[in-house]
Amino acid sequence: FCVPAAAAGGAAMAPRPAAPRAAAAKKTPVHLKGRKKPVWRFTLNLSNPVEDGILDCSNFEQFLREKVKVGGKAGNLGNIVQIESLKNKITVTSAKKFSKRYLKYLTKKYLKKNNLRDWLRVIASDKESYELRYFQISQDEEESETED
């Protein structure tokens, strides 16, 4: 079985010109100076416990400022990490990579320190935020225990 050179894509066949891409026409040059650096921003919604008066938002913010480690040193925030509170929300913004899981760890540590860990839990409400919620204790279980 023999295949002609032209059909096999040999030298006799001319390369086909590529179709112009729409995105290539709109492509703008990338300047390294104007390129934005990524920013990690996470929020903690503390509205439920703060409204009930069992958690102090400013105290928790101060705890985060003291405990967040940057470069292996606690309390070394500098210009890299900013912690801000607006009403019942705390926002943590970082110029360097910052783990959302680390923020959850510190929140749990604060709750344990203030003996609130038995009543509150940290739940991810979306990709970039956590929310403090009460544990759901069903009334049916309590009623069935008292009847026995």
Side-chain angles (χ1 to χ4, degrees):
F1 184 70
C2 186
V3 179
M13 193 170 167
R16 192 169 26 158
R21 295 182 182 171
K26 296 180 183 178
K27 198 172 186 181
T28 58
V30 177
H31 299 288
L32 293 177
K33 291 180 181 177
R35 200 167 103 186
K36 291 185 179 179
K37 293 185 179 182
V39 174
W40 288 265
R41 180 175 287 125
F42 302 107
T43 58
L44 283 160
N45 186 357
L46 311 171
S47 57
N48 291 339
V50 169
E51 289 172 357
D52 293 339
I54 64 169
L55 186 85
D56 184 21
C57 192
S58 61
N59 189 14
F60 180 54
E61 182 184 359
Q62 185 61 34
F63 174 83
L64 287 176
R65 288 185 192 279
E66 293 170 0
K67 296 293 182 177
V68 170
K69 287 186 178 180
V70 177
K73 295 181 181 178
N76 183 24
L77 300 180
N79 294 332
I80 298 169
V81 178
Q82 287 89 30
I83 299 173
E84 307 160 343
S85 67
L86 289 150
K87 294 184 182 179
N88 297 334
K89 289 188 178 182
I90 291 181
T91 305
V92 178
T93 309
S94 175
K96 281 190 173 181
K97 188 169 182 178
F98 192 87
S99 172
K100 183 181 172 191
R101 181 79 185 157
Y102 181 55
L103 192 59
K104 183 175 184 177
Y105 162 76
L106 289 173
T107 305
K108 288 171 142 186
K109 191 172 183 175
Y110 176 80
L111 292 175
K112 186 69 176 175
K113 178 182 169 189
N114 292 313
N115 299 320
L116 297 172
R117 187 83 175 92
D118 296 335
W119 293 282
L120 293 170
R121 63 185 192 157
V122 185
I123 297 177
S125 54
D126 62 41
K127 189 177 179 183
E128 295 180 346
S129 67
Y130 280 119
E131 181 178 356
L132 289 182
R133 290 189 190 169
Y134 292 103
F135 281 109
Q136 295 292 335
I137 302 171
S138 64
Q139 299 295 328
D140 299 333
E141 291 178 13
E142 292 177 3
E143 292 173 4
S144 64
E145 289 175 4
T146 57
E147 292 174 1
D148 290 337

